[in-house]
Amino acid sequence: MKTQNKKPLLIANWKMNPPSAKEALALAKKVDQGIKNISDVQVVLCPPFVYIPIFHAEKFNFLLGAQNCFWQKQGAFTGEISPAMLKNLGCSHVIIGHSERKNYLSETYEVIRQKVKASLDVGLIPVVCIGEKAQGSPNAKRELELQMQILLADISRTQSSKIVLVYEPEWAISSVKGVQAATPQDCEAAISFMKEVLARKWGEASAKGIHILYGGSVRKENIREFIEKGGADGALVGAASLNAQEFVSLVKESILG
Ligand code: 13P
């Protein structure tokens, strides 16, 4: 069983929710109130882009993140948002390569690789999503390794302490009705393997310092076992982060004691 040697990191990915700024601010304020006395966990909220300036104007107890960015610094790229824009609006983190972007927007590994580099270049922490497509795939390890090789290709050992990885098995994301989270055993196997790949790339010591989160149907009822038994240093939370009470309970549950 795992001892908690890193401060757990809980990242709320609100995806394309909620529909109005008023609701977004109300939800953020409730989360903020709920976590204000908690210092043993780092919480990052990633709302849709349009709410970032509103949150930036508030003094919140959580860090601010975005759900995506473009890879170029500026220019004629209609509809895109640069890493520097996010940094200038107070973001510390940016989710890169979420499976929903791969699946709905055909985002490729090559594009994700460039986004990882571009975000590091401006001092944003890329939260890089890695995971196999199908449950029980015999090629799962090969898929994970290939993704890591491509997505992390431009990152030096020194920069490795500035990234967060997420083991996000696509088959475990709650947006498909009836989907189940991975088991803590699935999670442990994948995260140990990811650590091996990182150790081969940057050495054991650097690999140990990198936060690896789990993402996929995380709830207040299962977060603890992903940390205790699954080897996760925290979680990327989708649906459960849209309910302040649920999310705050989940944050509290992530503190092993
Ligand atoms: P759920 O927590 O809703 O399964 O979403 C997981 C995810 O995609 C996190 O980014």
Side-chain angles (χ1 to χ4, degrees):
M1 198 179 290
K2 174 171 166 152
T3 53
Q4 205 156 24
N5 55 5
K6 291 193 204 101
K7 198 185 237 199
L9 175 60
L10 288 181
I11 305 184
N13 177 10
W14 284 4
K15 308 191 179 182
M16 201 171 70
N17 299 291
S20 74
K22 195 170 160 205
E23 288 161 279
L25 193 55
L27 176 56
K29 283 186 173 169
K30 278 194 208 154
V31 171
D32 186 58
Q33 270 302 104
I35 64 164
K36 72 174 184 223
N37 296 319
I38 301 175
S39 57
D40 299 334
V41 184
Q42 183 145 69
V43 177
V44 183
L45 244 64
C46 301
F49 285 137
V50 288
Y51 305 141
I52 290 174
I54 303 169
F55 289 12
H56 180 45
E58 303 277 331
K59 280 253 166 303
F60 283 136
N61 292 294
F62 51 78
L63 296 174
L64 196 50
Q67 300 172 18
N68 176 40
C69 67
F70 199 55
W71 64 85
Q72 295 281 1
K73 289 190 173 70
Q74 66 178 77
F77 303 106
T78 303
E80 293 299 335
I81 305 285
S82 75
M85 290 173 189
L86 298 173
K87 181 80 181 164
N88 292 334
L89 279 173
C91 289
S92 54
H93 292 69
V94 57
I95 300 169
I96 306 279
H98 194 282
S99 61
E100 284 153 12
R101 296 196 59 81
K102 288 184 220 150
N103 293 332
Y104 298 124
L105 294 145
S106 309
E107 204 165 273
T108 62
Y109 295 150
E110 182 53 26
V111 159
I112 300 167
R113 179 185 69 75
Q114 294 186 65
K115 291 183 175 189
V116 171
K117 171 144 188 7
S119 47
L120 277 170
D121 284 348
V122 301
L124 280 175
I125 298 175
V127 177
V128 188
C129 300
I130 286 159
E132 75 277 9
K133 258 191 155 354
Q135 185 167 21
S137 160
N139 298 325
K141 282 189 175 174
R142 269 227 322 268
E143 268 181 75
L144 293 181
E145 184 162 15
L146 180 72
Q147 290 175 34
M148 290 173 77
Q149 277 167 352
I150 301 174
L151 307 188
L152 308 180
D154 297 326
I155 304 177
S156 66
R157 184 193 304 258
T158 324
Q159 287 175 312
S160 68
S161 62
K162 303 280 188 326
I163 61 167
V164 170
L165 298 183
V166 186
Y167 170 54
E168 187 215 21
E170 292 187 33
W171 49 268
I173 294 179
S174 74
S175 43
V176 180
K177 237 187 161 39
V179 152
Q180 300 269 316
T183 63
Q185 293 71 28
D186 294 330
C187 180
E188 205 281 324
I191 288 184
S192 312
F193 178 69
M194 287 166 74
K195 283 187 178 152
E196 268 173 50
V197 177
L198 294 175
R200 265 185 265 135
K201 184 172 169 63
W202 290 313
E204 194 90 29
S206 301
K208 270 201 180 125
I210 299 172
H211 271 85
I212 307 183
L213 315 183
Y214 168 73
S217 302
V218 175
R219 303 282 180 265
K220 63 177 187 299
E221 292 81 10
N222 62 15
I223 179 66
R224 186 172 277 259
E225 55 179 20
F226 283 115
I227 295 177
E228 266 184 346
K229 300 185 196 146
D233 300 310
L236 180 62
V237 186
S241 70
L242 294 171
N243 176 313
Q245 212 179 351
E246 160 94 21
F247 185 63
V248 170
S249 304
L250 195 157
V251 169
K252 290 180 180 161
E253 278 294 313
S254 71
I255 307 167
L256 307 186

